[in-house]
Amino acid sequence: MELPTDPQPGTSAATDRLITFPFVLITLCTLCYFTGLGTLLTTLPKYIKDDLGGNGFSVGLSVGIFSVAAAVLRPWAGQLGDRKGRRILVVGGCLIVAFSVAAYDLADNLALLIGLRIISGIGEAAVFVGAATAVQDLAPAHRRGEAASYFSVALYAGLALGPPLGEYVADAHGYKTTWIVAGSLAFAAALFGLRTPIGVTSNHRPETILNRAALKPGVVLFLGLMPFTAFSAFLALYGEKIGIDSVGPIFAVYAGGVLLIRVFGARLPDQLGWRIASVVALGTATAAGLTFAVWTDKIGIYVAALALSIGQSLLFPALFSAVINDAPDEERSHAVGTFSVFFDLSGGVGAPLLGLVVSLSSYRGAFITAAGLSALGFVALQTLKASEDRRVPSLASD
């Protein structure tokens, strides 16, 4: 089957069609990849605490170093994608993650595990930039928010399937098998990625390491993701503290909520406009962080997870569409790479920071801190209001 030529943004070749064969393959690649990563959410913190003797800070550091490594390399991965195409990023990154995660069984001490997490982060830097840019290459200009929503459906489907799968495999067969399963899913993602369209390429070299169009939206993203960072890094251990032995279903409810909103409300970021959607997202994420801290029975935790799903379902697509519309076509991967740096920093900086709060106070303190940082996102949003509103008209008018 011959793949269609990648549509150039704004040309008639793109028309109004969004769901194409290349788009489906990118989606399947993303699903497999994030299912593999999702298996680590419920297993890696317990492995660090129980088998390696780590504390809250150790868990935060080991979880977060993956994101730090990815964040450092995102801009260069983006520039490589602009010059050589998206395919090399997707396939190469998936293979790096596949083999490094499968090797976690070799980590019988914290230092070695951190080293392997850094290698996994290098692969992550490439996978996300390549896949997210390829999706935008294939999207009509007026459906970019919708494309980001559908792309993230695969991401969150993986995060819904991965945690309970990881718990089941770890309980039934041990951590070694869990790492092998996670690595195998990343390898399957590489196979789907072999048909990733190369996309728009150029020899243009940006003047700065970080793309300017992505900086201010990235700060808002960083702050708005703090409640999710606390949720993903510490819920497995927090659940034990408050009497919830299995948190896999909670992760599934969260991810399922995101999926429902992004499937049935995929056009909301385009219809509302990125700024209004961002306000809603920040408000619900902040409320979710506080709810995790103060309503600690099982019903409260599920309510908090659902509230968090509302915020996270809108925040990334809204800000992402603003970045793509503002970035030059020849710097698209660079803009995606820069924007996703802040996604990584939310985990790479946020997880150790919140882990330090856990060590000094409690898990509740970490969720309250995360909620406060998310609330600061409203302030950051105002700093980009004038420039972004002037250059990027409301997508609802498309």
Side-chain angles (χ1 to χ4, degrees):
M1 180 174 183
E2 188 69 23
L3 287 177
T5 305
D6 296 347
Q8 299 293 321
T11 67
S12 59
T15 64
D16 284 335
R17 190 180 179 195
L18 176 60
I19 308 301
T20 61
F21 182 60
F23 192 94
V24 170
L25 288 179
I26 290 291
T27 301
L28 290 173
C29 171
T30 304
L31 175 63
C32 285
Y33 177 75
F34 280 98
T35 300
L37 289 190
T39 63
L40 305 178
L41 291 176
T42 49
T43 54
L44 191 61
K46 291 182 179 180
Y47 176 70
I48 295 167
K49 179 176 177 290
D50 297 337
D51 286 34
L52 301 185
N55 56 20
F57 179 73
S58 299
V59 172
L61 178 61
S62 300
V63 170
I65 199 67
F66 170 87
S67 298
V68 170
V72 169
L73 291 178
R74 294 282 198 202
W76 283 275
Q79 292 182 42
L80 178 63
D82 284 330
R83 293 197 302 271
K84 302 296 184 182
R86 326 314 184 201
R87 187 179 302 159
I88 189 174
L89 297 181
V90 173
V91 176
C94 284
L95 291 176
I96 291 172
V97 172
F99 289 109
S100 60
V101 170
Y104 284 4
D105 185 58
L106 301 175
D108 56 0
N109 61 75
L110 192 61
L112 184 54
L113 178 64
I114 288 174
L116 289 170
R117 292 287 288 168
I118 290 173
I119 295 173
S120 298
I122 293 171
E124 162 66 14
V127 176
F128 187 89
V129 172
T133 309
V135 165
Q136 292 298 315
D137 288 338
L138 295 166
H142 64 289
R143 299 182 71 177
R144 285 173 176 159
E146 184 182 4
S149 291
Y150 286 137
F151 168 70
S152 63
V153 163
L155 188 157
Y156 280 98
L159 294 180
L161 296 170
L165 174 63
E167 276 192 329
Y168 168 76
V169 174
D171 290 343
H173 304 287
Y175 289 116
K176 179 177 181 179
T177 304
T178 305
W179 314 146
I180 293 173
V181 168
S184 298
L185 286 165
F187 185 80
L191 297 180
F192 284 118
L194 289 171
R195 300 297 297 274
T196 301
I198 293 174
V200 179
T201 59
S202 169
N203 290 324
H204 169 78
R205 292 183 179 272
E207 298 177 357
T208 57
I209 294 176
L210 297 177
N211 187 275
R212 292 190 181 96
L215 290 177
K216 290 182 178 180
V219 171
V220 179
L221 180 72
F222 171 82
L223 294 169
L225 285 173
M226 285 297 103
F228 172 73
T229 298
F231 172 76
S232 61
F234 300 112
L235 185 66
L237 302 177
Y238 185 44
E240 293 179 346
K241 277 281 187 182
I242 60 177
I244 301 175
D245 294 330
S246 177
V247 298
I250 299 172
F251 278 104
V253 165
Y254 160 76
V258 173
L259 289 176
L260 286 173
I261 295 169
R262 287 188 174 172
V263 169
F264 295 104
R267 301 211 69 180
L268 280 175
D270 293 330
Q271 293 168 341
L272 295 174
W274 66 266
R275 184 162 57 88
I276 294 176
S278 297
V279 169
V280 174
L282 290 170
T284 51
T286 301
L290 293 174
T291 304
F292 277 121
V294 301
W295 191 359
T296 57
D297 62 21
K298 185 172 289 189
I299 294 176
I301 298 301
Y302 276 102
V303 168
L306 284 172
L308 186 63
S309 73
I310 296 172
Q312 301 308 296
S313 67
L314 295 176
L315 186 65
F316 179 83
L319 293 170
F320 191 44
S321 62
V323 170
I324 293 298
N325 277 279
D326 201 33
D329 292 342
E330 67 272 13
E331 296 183 9
R332 184 171 294 165
S333 280
H334 188 213
V336 172
T338 299
F339 184 63
S340 59
V341 163
F342 294 91
F343 186 93
D344 292 319
L345 288 177
S346 70
V349 174
L353 172 64
L354 295 173
L356 185 59
V357 174
V358 170
S359 297
L360 295 176
S361 61
S362 65
Y363 292 110
R364 291 182 182 181
F367 280 108
I368 291 171
T369 301
L373 291 170
S374 179
L376 285 178
F378 289 107
V379 178
L381 190 64
Q382 296 308 307
T383 69
L384 64 100
K385 174 181 175 181
S387 61
E388 294 295 335
D389 281 0
R390 182 174 64 249
R391 289 180 291 177
V392 184
S394 171
L395 297 177
S397 64
D398 288 334

